Amino acid sequence: RKEVEQDPGPFNVPEGATVAFNCTYSNSASQSFFWYRQDCRKEPKLLMSVYSSGNEDGRFTAQLNRASQYISLLIRDSKLSDSATYLCLEGSARQLTFGSGTQLTVLP
Amino acid sequence: NAGVTQTPKFQVLKTGQSMTLQCAQDMNHNSMYWYRQDPGMGLRLIYYSASEGTTDKGEVPNGYNVSRLNKREFSLRLESAAPSQTSVYFCASSDVTIRTGDPEAFFGQGTRLTVV
C-alpha cells in the first residue's frame, strides 16, 4: 500500500464552483503535510502547508484530520487559472513522500 | 536566486547508452532527492540523500545510481538506458525551516528524457 494516496481524478468543474480533494496517509506518526501545485510540464511548487488547526489562504483552505489520517484541500470560487494537478506531500526532515496527484480542470 | 538547477533539460538516448543528470542547489539544504514522473503515476522517488555522504534507495531505484558529490550536488546516473526509463526527472532539495520547523522543498525544472 502506498504511504500517501490521492484520488487521481480528473475533476472537471465549472468556473465558480467549490471543489475539494482528499489525501490519505498511512504513517500515523507523520508530522508535516503540504499541498503542491503542478502545471503541465512544469515542476511542482508549494501551494500551502497543512496545520492541525487548519490553514486558509484566500480561496484555498487546507485541513488535517489526524484521527482519520487524511488531509484535504478546498478551493472556493474556482478560477480557470486553478486548472492544474494538485499533489499532497508528507514530509519529514529526511524524506518527502508525494501522492500521485489530482488533476483539476476548471471549465468556462 | 538559482534555487535548484538541473541539467540537461532535454535528452534523447539510444537503448544501452549511459548518461548522468546533474542537480545543484544553492540553498544549503541537507536533503536532496531524485524523482521520476510518468503519466498517471505521480512523482516516484528514485533515490534520496538525507545529508552529504549518504544516499538511500527510494521506491524505484533499479537501473539508477546516484552520487552526493558534496552538499550542493546530487547526480543521477543511468548506466544502460532502457525505453522504460523514458520519463520526466525532477531533482528536489529540502531542509527544515527555522521559522516553522517544517521541511521546505524546492524543485528543479525537470529533465525530459526519451530512450529510443
Side-chain angles (χ1 to χ4, degrees), chain A residues 14-56:
Chain A
E15 202 172 1
T18 295
V19 61
F21 314 130
N22 284 343
C23 179
T24 60
Y25 62 94
S26 60
N27 183 0
S28 60
S30 297
Q31 293 294 320
S32 302
F33 301 92
F34 308 86
W35 282 103
Y36 275 70
R37 171 188 169 132
Q38 185 176 26
D39 294 293
C40 186
R41 303 178 71 80
K42 298 281 185 68
E43 73 274 23
K45 292 187 178 178
L46 179 65
L47 178 64
M48 59 196 308
S49 302
V50 186
Y51 302 123
S52 296
S53 57
N55 187 21
E56 185 172 319

Short mmCIF file of all heavy atoms in Angstrom, two decimals, chain A residues 14-56:
data_model
loop_
_atom_site.label_atom_id
_atom_site.label_comp_id
_atom_site.label_asym_id
_atom_site.label_seq_id
_atom_site.Cartn_x
_atom_site.Cartn_y
_atom_site.Cartn_z
N PRO A 14 -17.15 23.57 -13.18
CA PRO A 14 -17.38 24.87 -13.83
C PRO A 14 -16.73 25.99 -13.02
O PRO A 14 -16.55 25.88 -11.79
CB PRO A 14 -18.91 24.98 -13.82
CG PRO A 14 -19.34 24.16 -12.67
CD PRO A 14 -18.36 23.02 -12.55
N GLU A 15 -16.42 27.05 -13.71
CA GLU A 15 -15.87 28.22 -13.05
C GLU A 15 -16.82 28.68 -11.95
O GLU A 15 -18.04 28.69 -12.13
CB GLU A 15 -15.71 29.32 -14.11
CG GLU A 15 -14.72 30.39 -13.78
CD GLU A 15 -14.48 31.33 -14.95
OE1 GLU A 15 -15.12 31.14 -16.01
OE2 GLU A 15 -13.68 32.24 -14.81
N GLY A 16 -16.25 29.02 -10.80
CA GLY A 16 -17.06 29.46 -9.67
C GLY A 16 -17.45 28.36 -8.72
O GLY A 16 -17.95 28.64 -7.61
N ALA A 17 -17.23 27.13 -9.10
CA ALA A 17 -17.61 26.00 -8.23
C ALA A 17 -16.63 25.86 -7.06
O ALA A 17 -15.52 26.40 -7.07
CB ALA A 17 -17.62 24.71 -9.04
N THR A 18 -17.09 25.13 -6.06
CA THR A 18 -16.22 24.73 -4.96
C THR A 18 -15.83 23.27 -5.16
O THR A 18 -16.67 22.43 -5.47
CB THR A 18 -16.95 24.90 -3.61
OG1 THR A 18 -17.23 26.29 -3.40
CG2 THR A 18 -16.10 24.39 -2.46
N VAL A 19 -14.56 22.98 -4.98
CA VAL A 19 -14.08 21.61 -5.19
C VAL A 19 -13.14 21.24 -4.05
O VAL A 19 -12.46 22.11 -3.49
CB VAL A 19 -13.36 21.49 -6.55
CG1 VAL A 19 -12.15 22.40 -6.64
CG2 VAL A 19 -12.99 20.05 -6.86
N ALA A 20 -13.17 19.97 -3.67
CA ALA A 20 -12.33 19.50 -2.56
C ALA A 20 -11.61 18.22 -2.95
O ALA A 20 -12.18 17.35 -3.63
CB ALA A 20 -13.18 19.26 -1.31
N PHE A 21 -10.36 18.12 -2.52
CA PHE A 21 -9.56 16.92 -2.74
C PHE A 21 -9.14 16.38 -1.38
O PHE A 21 -8.88 17.15 -0.46
CB PHE A 21 -8.27 17.22 -3.51
CG PHE A 21 -8.44 18.08 -4.71
CD1 PHE A 21 -7.63 19.17 -4.90
CD2 PHE A 21 -9.38 17.78 -5.67
CE1 PHE A 21 -7.76 19.97 -6.01
CE2 PHE A 21 -9.52 18.58 -6.78
CZ PHE A 21 -8.71 19.68 -6.95
N ASN A 22 -9.03 15.07 -1.30
CA ASN A 22 -8.51 14.44 -0.09
C ASN A 22 -7.26 13.65 -0.40
O ASN A 22 -7.03 13.23 -1.54
CB ASN A 22 -9.54 13.49 0.52
CG ASN A 22 -10.63 14.22 1.25
OD1 ASN A 22 -10.49 15.40 1.59
ND2 ASN A 22 -11.73 13.54 1.48
N CYS A 23 -6.50 13.45 0.62
CA CYS A 23 -5.27 12.67 0.51
C CYS A 23 -5.12 11.89 1.80
O CYS A 23 -5.15 12.48 2.88
CB CYS A 23 -4.10 13.62 0.30
SG CYS A 23 -2.50 12.84 0.17
N THR A 24 -5.01 10.57 1.72
CA THR A 24 -4.87 9.76 2.92
C THR A 24 -3.42 9.35 3.11
O THR A 24 -2.68 9.18 2.13
CB THR A 24 -5.75 8.50 2.86
OG1 THR A 24 -5.36 7.72 1.72
CG2 THR A 24 -7.21 8.86 2.74
N TYR A 25 -3.01 9.20 4.35
CA TYR A 25 -1.65 8.78 4.64
C TYR A 25 -1.68 7.63 5.61
O TYR A 25 -2.60 7.50 6.41
CB TYR A 25 -0.81 9.95 5.17
CG TYR A 25 -1.31 10.55 6.46
CD1 TYR A 25 -0.81 10.13 7.69
CD2 TYR A 25 -2.28 11.57 6.46
CE1 TYR A 25 -1.25 10.68 8.88
CE2 TYR A 25 -2.73 12.12 7.64
CZ TYR A 25 -2.22 11.68 8.84
OH TYR A 25 -2.65 12.22 10.02
N SER A 26 -0.64 6.80 5.55
CA SER A 26 -0.64 5.57 6.35
C SER A 26 0.21 5.67 7.62
O SER A 26 0.01 4.89 8.55
CB SER A 26 -0.14 4.40 5.51
OG SER A 26 1.17 4.64 5.04
N ASN A 27 1.14 6.59 7.67
CA ASN A 27 2.03 6.69 8.82
C ASN A 27 1.43 7.62 9.87
O ASN A 27 1.41 8.83 9.71
CB ASN A 27 3.40 7.22 8.37
CG ASN A 27 4.39 7.28 9.51
OD1 ASN A 27 4.08 6.93 10.66
ND2 ASN A 27 5.60 7.71 9.22
N SER A 28 0.93 7.04 10.94
CA SER A 28 0.26 7.83 11.97
C SER A 28 1.21 8.79 12.68
O SER A 28 0.77 9.73 13.33
CB SER A 28 -0.42 6.91 12.99
OG SER A 28 0.55 6.08 13.61
N ALA A 29 2.51 8.55 12.55
CA ALA A 29 3.48 9.42 13.20
C ALA A 29 3.88 10.61 12.33
O ALA A 29 4.66 11.47 12.76
CB ALA A 29 4.74 8.62 13.55
N SER A 30 3.35 10.68 11.13
CA SER A 30 3.70 11.78 10.22
C SER A 30 3.35 13.12 10.85
O SER A 30 2.32 13.27 11.50
CB SER A 30 2.96 11.63 8.90
OG SER A 30 3.35 10.46 8.23
N GLN A 31 4.23 14.09 10.63
CA GLN A 31 4.07 15.38 11.28
C GLN A 31 3.73 16.52 10.33
O GLN A 31 2.96 17.41 10.66
CB GLN A 31 5.37 15.74 12.01
CG GLN A 31 5.69 14.83 13.18
CD GLN A 31 4.69 14.96 14.30
OE1 GLN A 31 4.25 16.06 14.63
NE2 GLN A 31 4.30 13.84 14.88
N SER A 32 4.33 16.48 9.14
CA SER A 32 4.24 17.65 8.27
C SER A 32 3.57 17.29 6.95
O SER A 32 3.92 16.29 6.32
CB SER A 32 5.64 18.20 7.98
OG SER A 32 6.29 18.54 9.19
N PHE A 33 2.63 18.13 6.55
CA PHE A 33 1.90 17.89 5.31
C PHE A 33 1.78 19.18 4.52
O PHE A 33 1.70 20.28 5.08
CB PHE A 33 0.48 17.37 5.63
CG PHE A 33 0.48 16.10 6.43
CD1 PHE A 33 0.44 16.14 7.81
CD2 PHE A 33 0.55 14.87 5.79
CE1 PHE A 33 0.45 14.98 8.56
CE2 PHE A 33 0.56 13.70 6.53
CZ PHE A 33 0.51 13.76 7.91
N PHE A 34 1.75 19.01 3.20
CA PHE A 34 1.72 20.17 2.33
C PHE A 34 0.88 19.85 1.09
O PHE A 34 0.75 18.68 0.71
CB PHE A 34 3.14 20.53 1.86
CG PHE A 34 4.12 20.68 2.99
CD1 PHE A 34 4.78 19.59 3.49
CD2 PHE A 34 4.36 21.92 3.55
CE1 PHE A 34 5.68 19.71 4.54
CE2 PHE A 34 5.26 22.06 4.59
CZ PHE A 34 5.92 20.95 5.09
N TRP A 35 0.40 20.89 0.45
CA TRP A 35 -0.19 20.77 -0.89
C TRP A 35 0.71 21.50 -1.87
O TRP A 35 1.12 22.64 -1.63
CB TRP A 35 -1.59 21.37 -0.92
CG TRP A 35 -2.61 20.48 -0.30
CD1 TRP A 35 -3.18 20.60 0.94
CD2 TRP A 35 -3.20 19.32 -0.90
NE1 TRP A 35 -4.07 19.59 1.15
CE2 TRP A 35 -4.12 18.79 0.06
CE3 TRP A 35 -3.07 18.68 -2.13
CZ2 TRP A 35 -4.88 17.64 -0.20
CZ3 TRP A 35 -3.83 17.54 -2.38
CH2 TRP A 35 -4.72 17.04 -1.43
N TYR A 36 1.01 20.81 -2.97
CA TYR A 36 1.78 21.39 -4.05
C TYR A 36 0.90 21.48 -5.29
O TYR A 36 -0.01 20.66 -5.49
CB TYR A 36 3.01 20.52 -4.38
CG TYR A 36 4.20 20.82 -3.52
CD1 TYR A 36 4.21 20.47 -2.17
CD2 TYR A 36 5.32 21.47 -4.03
CE1 TYR A 36 5.30 20.77 -1.37
CE2 TYR A 36 6.42 21.76 -3.24
CZ TYR A 36 6.39 21.40 -1.91
OH TYR A 36 7.47 21.70 -1.12
N ARG A 37 1.22 22.46 -6.13
CA ARG A 37 0.53 22.59 -7.40
C ARG A 37 1.54 22.35 -8.50
O ARG A 37 2.67 22.83 -8.46
CB ARG A 37 -0.04 24.01 -7.52
CG ARG A 37 -0.59 24.33 -8.89
CD ARG A 37 -0.97 25.77 -9.04
NE ARG A 37 -1.22 26.05 -10.44
CZ ARG A 37 -2.30 26.71 -10.88
NH1 ARG A 37 -3.19 27.18 -10.02
NH2 ARG A 37 -2.46 26.91 -12.17
N GLN A 38 1.09 21.60 -9.52
CA GLN A 38 1.97 21.36 -10.66
C GLN A 38 1.22 21.67 -11.94
O GLN A 38 0.18 21.07 -12.25
CB GLN A 38 2.47 19.92 -10.70
CG GLN A 38 3.48 19.66 -11.82
CD GLN A 38 4.04 18.26 -11.81
OE1 GLN A 38 3.41 17.32 -11.33
NE2 GLN A 38 5.25 18.10 -12.33
N ASP A 39 1.74 22.63 -12.69
CA ASP A 39 1.20 22.94 -14.00
C ASP A 39 1.84 22.03 -15.04
O ASP A 39 2.94 21.51 -14.84
CB ASP A 39 1.44 24.41 -14.33
CG ASP A 39 0.66 25.31 -13.41
OD1 ASP A 39 -0.58 25.30 -13.49
OD2 ASP A 39 1.27 26.01 -12.58
N CYS A 40 1.14 21.90 -16.16
CA CYS A 40 1.55 20.94 -17.18
C CYS A 40 3.02 21.15 -17.58
O CYS A 40 3.44 22.25 -17.92
CB CYS A 40 0.65 21.08 -18.40
SG CYS A 40 0.94 19.83 -19.65
N ARG A 41 3.80 20.08 -17.46
CA ARG A 41 5.19 20.07 -17.90
C ARG A 41 6.10 21.01 -17.10
O ARG A 41 7.18 21.37 -17.55
CB ARG A 41 5.29 20.39 -19.39
CG ARG A 41 4.47 19.45 -20.26
CD ARG A 41 4.55 19.85 -21.72
NE ARG A 41 5.86 19.59 -22.29
CZ ARG A 41 6.29 18.41 -22.71
NH1 ARG A 41 5.50 17.35 -22.61
NH2 ARG A 41 7.50 18.28 -23.22
N LYS A 42 5.63 21.39 -15.91
CA LYS A 42 6.45 22.25 -15.05
C LYS A 42 6.76 21.51 -13.74
O LYS A 42 6.19 20.45 -13.47
CB LYS A 42 5.69 23.54 -14.73
CG LYS A 42 5.37 24.40 -15.94
CD LYS A 42 6.57 25.18 -16.36
CE LYS A 42 6.26 26.15 -17.50
NZ LYS A 42 5.38 27.25 -17.06
N GLU A 43 7.65 22.09 -12.95
CA GLU A 43 7.97 21.49 -11.67
C GLU A 43 6.90 21.81 -10.63
O GLU A 43 6.23 22.84 -10.72
CB GLU A 43 9.34 22.00 -11.17
CG GLU A 43 9.39 23.42 -10.69
CD GLU A 43 9.63 24.42 -11.79
OE1 GLU A 43 9.34 24.11 -12.97
OE2 GLU A 43 10.11 25.52 -11.47
N PRO A 44 6.71 20.95 -9.63
CA PRO A 44 5.76 21.24 -8.55
C PRO A 44 6.21 22.45 -7.75
O PRO A 44 7.40 22.65 -7.53
CB PRO A 44 5.79 19.97 -7.69
CG PRO A 44 6.40 18.92 -8.56
CD PRO A 44 7.33 19.62 -9.47
N LYS A 45 5.22 23.21 -7.28
CA LYS A 45 5.53 24.37 -6.43
C LYS A 45 4.60 24.36 -5.23
O LYS A 45 3.44 23.99 -5.33
CB LYS A 45 5.37 25.66 -7.23
CG LYS A 45 6.43 25.80 -8.32
CD LYS A 45 6.36 27.15 -8.99
CE LYS A 45 7.47 27.25 -10.04
NZ LYS A 45 7.44 28.53 -10.77
N LEU A 46 5.15 24.79 -4.10
CA LEU A 46 4.39 24.77 -2.85
C LEU A 46 3.16 25.68 -2.95
O LEU A 46 3.27 26.85 -3.30
CB LEU A 46 5.28 25.23 -1.70
CG LEU A 46 4.61 25.29 -0.33
CD1 LEU A 46 4.20 23.89 0.13
CD2 LEU A 46 5.54 25.94 0.69
N LEU A 47 2.01 25.11 -2.63
CA LEU A 47 0.77 25.89 -2.58
C LEU A 47 0.51 26.35 -1.15
O LEU A 47 0.32 27.52 -0.89
CB LEU A 47 -0.40 25.03 -3.08
CG LEU A 47 -1.78 25.65 -3.05
CD1 LEU A 47 -1.85 26.84 -4.00
CD2 LEU A 47 -2.85 24.62 -3.41
N MET A 48 0.50 25.38 -0.23
CA MET A 48 0.30 25.76 1.17
C MET A 48 0.64 24.60 2.09
O MET A 48 0.60 23.44 1.70
CB MET A 48 -1.12 26.24 1.43
CG MET A 48 -2.21 25.26 1.12
SD MET A 48 -3.84 26.04 1.01
CE MET A 48 -3.97 26.96 2.52
N SER A 49 0.97 24.96 3.32
CA SER A 49 1.20 23.97 4.35
C SER A 49 -0.13 23.58 4.97
O SER A 49 -1.13 24.29 4.85
CB SER A 49 2.12 24.54 5.43
OG SER A 49 3.35 24.94 4.87
N VAL A 50 -0.15 22.44 5.65
CA VAL A 50 -1.38 21.94 6.28
C VAL A 50 -1.11 21.82 7.77
O VAL A 50 -0.25 21.05 8.19
CB VAL A 50 -1.79 20.58 5.71
CG1 VAL A 50 -3.15 20.16 6.28
CG2 VAL A 50 -1.83 20.60 4.20
N TYR A 51 -1.83 22.56 8.56
CA TYR A 51 -1.65 22.54 10.01
C TYR A 51 -2.86 21.88 10.67
O TYR A 51 -3.96 21.88 10.13
CB TYR A 51 -1.47 23.95 10.55
CG TYR A 51 -0.30 24.68 9.92
CD1 TYR A 51 -0.48 25.90 9.27
CD2 TYR A 51 0.99 24.15 9.99
CE1 TYR A 51 0.59 26.57 8.70
CE2 TYR A 51 2.04 24.81 9.41
CZ TYR A 51 1.85 26.01 8.78
OH TYR A 51 2.90 26.66 8.21
N SER A 52 -2.65 21.36 11.85
CA SER A 52 -3.72 20.70 12.59
C SER A 52 -4.91 21.63 12.81
O SER A 52 -6.06 21.20 12.83
CB SER A 52 -3.21 20.20 13.93
OG SER A 52 -2.23 19.22 13.76
N SER A 53 -4.63 22.90 12.95
CA SER A 53 -5.69 23.87 13.22
C SER A 53 -6.36 24.36 11.94
O SER A 53 -7.26 25.19 11.98
CB SER A 53 -5.10 25.07 13.97
OG SER A 53 -4.05 25.63 13.23
N GLY A 54 -5.90 23.84 10.80
CA GLY A 54 -6.44 24.32 9.53
C GLY A 54 -5.64 25.52 9.05
O GLY A 54 -5.03 26.23 9.83
N ASN A 55 -5.68 25.72 7.75
CA ASN A 55 -4.90 26.79 7.16
C ASN A 55 -5.67 27.35 5.99
O ASN A 55 -6.08 26.59 5.11
CB ASN A 55 -3.53 26.25 6.73
CG ASN A 55 -2.61 27.34 6.26
OD1 ASN A 55 -2.80 28.50 6.59
ND2 ASN A 55 -1.61 26.98 5.47
N GLU A 56 -5.90 28.67 5.99
CA GLU A 56 -6.68 29.28 4.91
C GLU A 56 -5.83 30.36 4.25
O GLU A 56 -5.16 31.15 4.92
CB GLU A 56 -7.97 29.88 5.48
CG GLU A 56 -8.91 30.44 4.42
CD GLU A 56 -10.26 30.85 5.00
OE1 GLU A 56 -10.78 30.11 5.86
OE2 GLU A 56 -10.78 31.89 4.58
#
